[in-house]
Every structure is written in structure tokens, then in C-alpha cells.
Amino acid sequence: MPAVRRVVETALYVDDMQRAVGFYRDVLGLRPMGIGERLTPIDAGDATVLLLFHRGATAAGLSFPGGHIPPHDGAGPLHVAFGIDVGEFEAWESRLTGLGVTIESHVHWDRGGRSLYFRDPDGHSVELVTPGTWETY
């Protein structure tokens, strides 16, 4: 059987693209790889991509010379987790609170990992997580 190697990209759906891009760029330090009204791909580290789609803009799919992307969309609070180094956990907590981001939850996982949960401007649950959370991370 062929093997799946990793998650390459994940998507969140946003109401205000500029506001969302500003949050992920300015609060988390992630690099936008071009900004559009419909889609903004963001470098999320280690060859992963966070796709920010304007809510409703992908419900019809997209045809272009290279093919067709099937329709997709999302509503309500979704979730994304970003891996961080163990030694930077407190620095991230300080940065977030210093920028006025409310920490919604702290978790200590059975395997030794730790998580911080907070919300982005669209209400999505964002997690910063250290190794020791999953069997694979």
C-alpha cells in the first residue's frame, strides 16, 4: 500500500482576509506567500501551508488551465495546531498575552506535551503545542 507522508496543507475560512492575515503574520510570525481576496497561503513552517480562504468564496470550486479544485467551505469555529519547541512555551504565552490575546486554556498531556489554546479573529481555535502530545509528535 502506498504511504501518506504528512499533512501538507490545512484550511481555515475567514470573514475578513486582511484581518486574518494580519493576525497570523503579526501575532504568530507566519509568512504570507501572496495575499488574495479569495485565498492567502501562509508558510506555517516545516513545509506546511495554512490556507486562509474567504468564507463562501470556494463553495463553487475553481476551474483554471491546470484543472479543477472541487468545492469546499467551512462554518463555525474550526481548529488548527502549530508545533512549538518545549523551551519556547513560556515565551509564546508571554507574547500572546502581551499582544492582548486571551489564553483560553492550558493543557498538560499524559505524554509530557503542553498546549496553549486561544482564538483567532474569526473565532477559530488555535493551539500551540509542544512535542509529547501524540505518539507521533
Side-chain angles (χ1 to χ4, degrees):
M1 179 172 165
V4 171
R5 297 189 56 200
R6 66 185 303 150
V7 173
V8 174
E9 60 189 33
T10 193
L12 294 177
Y13 302 89
V14 303
D15 294 317
D16 182 324
M17 186 64 74
Q18 293 298 322
R19 179 185 70 185
V21 169
F23 178 84
Y24 287 95
R25 180 194 59 224
D26 301 340
V27 174
L28 297 182
L30 302 179
R31 182 180 62 86
M33 299 183 290
I35 300 174
E37 289 181 30
R38 178 185 163 279
L39 162 69
T40 295
I42 295 182
D43 180 349
D46 288 335
T48 60
V49 179
L50 172 63
L51 300 174
L52 298 178
F53 286 103
H54 190 269
R55 195 178 315 275
T58 57
L62 178 68
S63 293
F64 59 102
H68 179 76
I69 299 171
H72 56 87
D73 198 26
L78 302 175
H79 172 72
V80 63
F82 298 101
I84 61 171
D85 292 333
V86 172
E88 294 185 346
F89 189 89
E90 284 78 16
W92 271 110
E93 185 172 18
S94 293
R95 175 175 175 74
L96 293 170
T97 57
L99 290 171
V101 176
T102 301
I103 304 296
E104 190 171 19
S105 178
H106 293 80
V107 175
H108 294 265
W109 299 103
D110 291 342
R111 296 178 185 275
R114 296 170 66 193
S115 293
L116 288 173
Y117 289 88
F118 52 96
R119 299 282 169 175
D120 76 1
D122 287 277
H124 298 305
S125 175
V126 180
E127 177 184 7
L128 297 181
V129 60
T130 67
T133 303
W134 296 106
E135 183 179 306
T136 56
Y137 181 74

